[in-house]
Structures are given as C-alpha cells and as structure tokens.
Amino acid sequence: MIHGLTFHHHGLALGDDGEALAMLRLLGYELSELVHDPVLSVNLRLCIHSSFPAVEIVMPGSERGPLDGVLRRHDQLLYHTCYEVADREAVLMELNVVGLRVVPVLPPTPAVLFDGRLVSFHTILGFGLIELLDRASPDKAQSGQ
C-alpha cells in the first residue's frame, strides 16, 4: 500500500450533467454548487454520499480545455481517480520505485473546487489517469497546520 495515499473521488466527464444529476439525486448524493475553474476551463460539481464513493462531475468550460478530446470519443466517462496525499513527491517517488511509469499531465495547480488546495494529474501507464489532491491548502502547509 502506498503510504499517505487515500481515495477521494472518481471524476466523471460529461457534456451535460442533467441526467447524471437525476441519477445521483436518486441514489441519495448531496450535490455541491457548480463552480467554474478558469485555469482548467472546466465546470465542476462534487457529489458526496455517506456510503458510496464521491463523484466529481467535470464538464467543459467556455474555452478549449482538457475534456475536449475525451468528450469527442465518449458522451460520458469515468476518466480519473483522485487520491488525497500528504506528500505528493513521496507518493510519486514510491510509484516510480516499484517500476510504474508515471507521466505528468498537469503540475500542481490550485483547485477552485477544493478551496485552493493543489491538484496534479498523472497518467500511470497500464492504469490510467490519477489526480493527486493535497490534504492541506498551500497556506496551511506553509504555516505547519
């Protein structure tokens, strides 16, 4: 098991979230407000359930963004898994030490949906796309909290 890595959510790419929201409500998920992340040019909504895995709905923003290629091939797709990390570099090093090939996709970037906590994306060859989400926001990490 990778030290300091915990599951956070699955990322669901959609062109439109109408039907997905109906299903998630039926399943009993709590739905956050839709937020726009201008850095990634995506619209996001976090869906939380007391006993099911969390789902992040990711839809295209107004400009070209990372979902363009995904949504050209699929109407909807669970396309990434997010893990919370205490030490991103230690996790990446551990993945490399065991021989997994990790390809960086997006360097650590403040995430609007997660109150500025840093996220990075990486493709693990033979596994897929993962998102690493810092447990603490950058300002709390610097202050030692």
Side-chain angles (χ1 to χ4, degrees):
M1 188 162 116
I2 299 173
H3 180 74
L5 188 77
T6 56
F7 174 81
H8 192 268
H9 68 264
H10 290 297
L12 174 61
L14 299 168
D16 176 88
D17 66 357
E19 291 175 347
L21 293 180
M23 179 65 177
L24 290 165
R25 282 189 186 103
L26 185 63
L27 290 170
Y29 276 83
E30 291 181 35
L31 312 175
S32 74
E33 293 296 317
L34 190 67
V35 298
H36 177 70
D37 189 325
V39 172
L40 298 177
S41 188
V42 292
N43 294 313
L44 305 163
R45 182 187 310 268
L46 191 61
C47 307
I48 303 292
H49 194 283
S50 60
S51 58
F52 297 151
V55 175
E56 176 188 37
I57 292 176
V58 186
M59 296 179 295
S62 55
E63 288 120 36
R64 288 186 53 83
L67 291 183
D68 295 346
V70 171
L71 292 173
R72 262 194 304 276
R73 294 183 304 274
H74 308 279
D75 292 334
Q76 67 278 324
L77 180 68
L78 277 175
Y79 79 104
H80 78 262
T81 302
C82 178
Y83 300 96
E84 251 183 332
V85 296
D87 183 342
R88 174 185 327 279
E89 292 308 315
V91 166
L92 292 171
M93 185 181 312
E94 192 168 345
L95 292 171
N96 282 305
V97 164
V98 298
L100 293 170
R101 291 185 298 167
V102 180
V103 178
V105 175
L106 179 76
T109 304
V112 171
L113 187 62
F114 301 114
D115 298 321
R117 289 193 286 163
L118 297 179
V119 298
S120 61
F121 284 84
H122 311 268
T123 296
I124 299 178
L125 300 180
F127 180 79
L129 185 66
I130 65 167
E131 176 182 15
L132 299 179
L133 169 64
D134 284 1
R135 274 205 183 86
S137 62
D139 58 327
K140 288 184 180 174
Q142 290 174 358
S143 68
Q145 293 181 357

